[in-house]
Structure formats: C-alpha cells, structure tokens
Amino acid sequence: MQNFSQSPTDPHFVQDPYPFYDKVRAAGDFIWWDDYNMACAISHKTVHAVLRDRRMGRECPSELAPAIPEHLKPFFNVEAHSMLELEPPRHTRLRALVLRAFTSRTIAALAPDITALCHDLIDKFPDAPFDLLTAYAQPVPVVIISRLLGVPEDRADDLVRWSNAMVAMYQARRTPQIEAAAIAATNDFVAFMRGYIAKRRKTPTDDLISTLIAAEEDGERLSEDELITTCILLLNAGHEATVHTLGNGTKTLLETGVTAITEAAVEEIIRFDPPLHMFTRWVYEDVAIGDHTFKRGDQIACLLAAANRDPIAYPAPNTFDPTRKDPQNTSFGGGIHFCVGAPLARLELRIALEVLFARCSNLRLEGQPHYGDVYHFHGLEQLMVSTK
Ligand code: HEM
C-alpha cells in the first residue's frame, strides 16, 4: 500500500480535494494516508465492498476502546447510544424503531409541507445579494426534521447551534475550544431533550418523539438515554448533510448552467460534491481484500467522495452530468448503516431546488464561494447570490 501525506486542513485541499483523490486512486484500491495514519479505500469497488462487509463495522472492538478523558465524557456518553456507532444487536433494535416512523408513506406525505416552506422562504428573499445557506439551504431541512420529530420550530436556532458545535468534534481540526463548545452544546441539548420528552410523555401527539416514547413504554427496551441520543442523532444528521448538499449542489448548478431539476440531476448533485467525504470502519477479524490483508483492530477509512469520482464506475467522473445513470453513488454510505434519511434528503433536495430555480430565474452567484476548513465535512461557509 502506497503512503501519501496530505494535510486535511491545507487550504487548497479544503477548497478542492478531488485532484488529491484522482492522484492517489492511481496507486490502487487502498492507500495509506499518513496524516490520518490509516488505510483508505479509494476505488468505488473497494468502498462499496468495505461498507457492506460484515467482518467490519462502526463499533470499536471492546479491547481497543480508548479511555475517554473526564472532560469529554458528556459528549461520548451520548455517542455511546448512537446507532451510527453501534453494531447488531443494539444497532438493529434502534434502527428498526426509527425506520418504523420513517416509512416511505410518511416521507412522501411531507412533500406539500416542504413545497410550502420553500415558497415562504423565497417570499422573504431580499433584493440585495444575500447568503442562500442561511436564507434557504439551512431552514428547509432544519424546520422539516424539527416538525417530524415534534420539536418546536422556535428552537430551530438552538438546534442548529448545538448541532454545529457537536458535529465539529469529528473534523480534522479539533481544538480545546471546539471540544469545550461541543460539551456545552451536548449538555444543553440533552437537558432540552430530557425536558421535552417529559412534556411529550404527558401529552403525546403523532410526532416521532411520541412514537419513540410509546416504544419505550411498550417495553421495547429503549432506555431514556437511547431515546435522547436517537433524537439528537436524527436532529443533527437530519439537517447538517442536507444543508451542505443543497449549498454545494446550488453552486454546481449555477456554475454549470443546469436548471432542470430531475431525479437524475439530484442524484448527480449527491454524487458530484457530497457533504461527507470519509466514514471509517473497524476490522473485527482478519480479512483479505484484493491484495491487502487487515487484522482485527485495524481501521479502514472509506473515501466516499473519491469513490464517486472513480472513472471505472463513472465515465468522465469530474464532469457534472445531470443525465448520468448507474451505479448508485456512495454518498449515503452502504450496508447496515446506509443513511436512514436518504429518502427524506432526496425529497427535500428535489423540491427545494425545483422551487428555487422555478421561482428565481435570475439566480446567480455573487463572488466565488468558499468551503469551510472542516474536513472530512465538505460544505460552503456561505453562498452569496442575487435573484435580480
Ligand atoms: C444529503 C444528505 C445526507 C447525506 C449525504 C447523508 C449521509 C450519511 C452517511 C454517509 C451515513 C453513514 C453511512 C455509513 O457509515 O455507512 C449516514 C447515516 C445516517 N444518516 Fe444520513 N445523510 C443525509 C441526510 C440524512 C437525513 C435527512 C437524516 C435523518 C432524517 C439522516 C440520518 C442518518 C442516520 C440516523 C444515520 C445512521 C444510520 C445507521 O447507523 O444505521 N441522514 N448518512
């Protein structure tokens, strides 16, 4: 396996990581990324295979579980109940409960609500140039996931603040300030959820939190801590990635002049410039993949965005082609952790972009947008546009 070094906070890389992916893909299915001290799956075939291989998973092997420093415990105590960090049987139980509420019928029924919300937000667009992220890309997924869970929309600003602070724990550039902010946000978020769940226990409605409480009370072994973490995971995962796919996608559409928003165009947006570039897996038993062998306790990073630009899977992969067909991109992951919210994200993206381009025929970029220094996330700091 060939070694490569590339700082994930290097400004050129942050703005455009794709040339690095193209360079290292030529070295084979796996590379060793020195800065992460980790093997990385690069090709579409290998990323696809690793994500689905049950000899690997998200949960850290128990003998390798790192000692959590006292000051970070509040954050990791919440993480400890997250389905994204667990394997069966706990993962199966938690995911099944959520999937019960995320049926295709429930998601499809949100369409009129999403459409109306998009129109309301566009009605408020100012005449002068403005940031489309805060005016549109952020409120659409935040309001919809809040409504789905049943969290009051007037807490949306708090949710965004808490979520941003917590998610920052996973970026390459992590400082004591980032950690302190994440802990404060975790404590506030947990306290809010605990209070809110107590309220919903007394007066249940038809929202997701009430459904999960009912599952807990039916003795389905969903503890209150699991309930809190699941709600936090859904609120965080339910908007962060969608906000940035909407931002990155609008930028691409404006740069390429594509305005017809078909399902294929939405899929191409998700392939071309996704918001999450890396997900890791722990190896549970000795395995051989291609020419490489891994042993229990190794970690493999799946470079989702690199797999999406593999020329073996996608002809002319660096071209944005809204008519492109198979194979499915890897932006939503794969295997048992495949994104629970993918149908909701796809629906939000299609409606939000359709309404935006139908209503704002003169939409254009105001200046060159910049990506935030937050790898392995890949999203814009702001997206200045004008509509006149
Ligand atoms: C374009 C938007 C989105 C992208 C690109 C995205 C991407 C991902 C990825 C890459 C994973 C991890 C898969 C893996 O490790 O194999 C994931 C998991 C997850 N996502 Fe999403 N996501 C998006 C939107 C959403 C939304 C809207 C929700 C909730 C409403 C959501 C909820 C989740 C949850 C709960 C998991 C954990 C699933 C599990 O561990 O079984 N995501 N997502």
Side-chain angles (χ1 to χ4, degrees):
M1 198 179 301
Q2 213 170 307
N3 287 57
F4 288 91
S5 62
Q6 169 62 64
S7 162
T9 60
D10 163 26
H12 294 292
F13 174 79
V14 167
Q15 294 312 311
D16 185 7
Y18 299 103
F20 170 71
Y21 299 152
D22 287 345
K23 181 176 81 181
V24 301
R25 201 184 298 104
D29 287 332
F30 288 100
I31 60 145
W32 188 266
W33 191 342
D34 288 339
D35 305 72
Y36 281 95
N37 200 21
M38 208 184 281
C40 297
I42 293 282
S43 63
H44 189 274
K45 181 183 75 183
T46 320
V47 167
H48 187 270
V50 169
L51 289 172
R52 284 162 184 77
D53 196 321
R54 299 292 303 119
R55 295 167 298 176
M56 304 169 202
R58 296 276 309 156
E59 196 169 330
C60 178
S62 51
E63 74 276 15
L64 293 174
I68 307 286
E70 200 54 40
H71 71 287
L72 297 181
K73 282 203 170 137
F75 178 84
F76 287 100
N77 286 346
V78 169
E79 286 289 294
H81 304 291
S82 165
M83 77 176 89
L84 184 53
E85 310 303 336
L86 293 170
E87 290 300 306
R90 280 188 76 196
H91 172 266
T92 320
R93 178 168 52 84
L94 293 172
R95 186 172 166 114
L97 286 168
V98 169
L99 279 180
R100 217 192 277 170
F102 266 69
T103 61
S104 39
R105 200 146 41 99
T106 325
I107 301 305
L110 294 171
D113 221 18
I114 300 173
T115 308
L117 172 63
C118 292
H119 281 288
D120 283 352
L121 292 166
I122 293 173
D123 289 342
K124 297 191 195 107
F125 281 178
D127 288 336
F130 63 98
D131 178 12
L132 193 76
L133 281 193
T134 45
Y136 195 67
Q138 199 165 70
V140 173
V142 173
V143 168
I144 295 300
I145 192 67
S146 303
R147 282 183 193 167
L148 200 59
L149 269 118
V151 169
E153 281 164 43
D154 60 6
R155 300 304 298 259
D157 287 348
D158 286 331
L159 295 181
V160 171
R161 209 164 32 79
W162 294 332
S163 169
N164 288 162
M166 289 180 75
V167 167
M169 284 289 273
Y170 291 105
Q171 67 192 37
R173 185 181 54 85
R174 189 168 124 186
T175 60
Q177 287 77 11
I178 287 175
E179 290 180 352
I183 299 302
T186 307
N187 289 334
D188 289 349
F189 210 157
V190 169
F192 166 71
M193 285 311 312
R194 222 178 269 288
Y196 196 69
I197 288 167
K199 208 154 113 189
R200 274 281 165 270
R201 265 190 219 288
K202 283 198 202 109
T203 45
T205 64
D206 59 356
D207 59 24
L208 182 51
I209 292 182
S210 304
T211 311
L212 291 171
I213 291 173
E216 183 205 7
E217 290 173 351
D218 279 353
E220 293 197 50
R221 295 179 298 119
L222 181 76
S223 69
E224 175 148 317
D225 285 343
E226 287 174 341
L227 179 56
I228 289 173
T229 296
T230 301
C231 293
I232 292 179
L233 172 67
L234 287 170
L235 286 164
N236 288 355
H239 78 273
E240 289 282 349
T242 315
V243 171
H244 289 295
T245 311
L246 209 41
N248 299 358
T250 305
K251 166 181 172 286
T252 303
L253 292 170
L254 292 174
E255 284 173 347
T256 54
V258 173
T259 53
I261 312 301
T262 59
E263 278 183 18
V266 169
E267 233 28 57
E268 179 68 346
I269 282 171
I270 296 167
R271 177 196 76 89
F272 188 72
D273 199 18
L276 304 167
H277 280 207
M278 178 197 279
F279 265 88
T280 51
R281 290 290 186 268
W282 288 97
V283 176
Y284 297 141
E285 58 186 86
D286 298 356
V287 290
I289 306 174
D291 297 339
H292 302 279
T293 51
F294 297 93
K295 55 180 194 324
R296 181 174 170 85
D298 285 347
Q299 274 186 290
I300 301 177
C302 292
L303 295 188
L304 308 179
N308 283 344
R309 301 276 189 120
D310 182 347
I312 293 176
Y314 305 99
N318 292 325
T319 303
F320 178 76
D321 174 2
T323 64
R324 198 184 283 281
K325 299 205 170 64
D326 301 337
Q328 200 189 44
N329 60 69
T330 62
S331 303
F332 289 117
I336 66 166
H337 291 283
F338 181 81
C339 177
V340 165
L344 174 60
R346 288 185 166 119
L347 184 70
E348 288 177 340
L349 288 164
R350 188 173 55 72
I351 296 177
L353 291 169
E354 243 171 39
V355 176
L356 179 68
F357 281 88
R359 289 275 311 269
C360 306
S361 51
N362 291 328
L363 189 69
R364 60 169 192 279
L365 290 174
E366 290 287 334
Q368 177 63 37
H370 283 270
Y371 291 89
D373 176 9
V374 287
Y375 194 83
H376 66 280
F377 303 103
H378 185 64
L380 298 170
E381 279 171 341
Q382 56 172 22
L383 181 59
M384 294 303 294
V385 296
S386 58
T387 56
K388 299 288 166 214

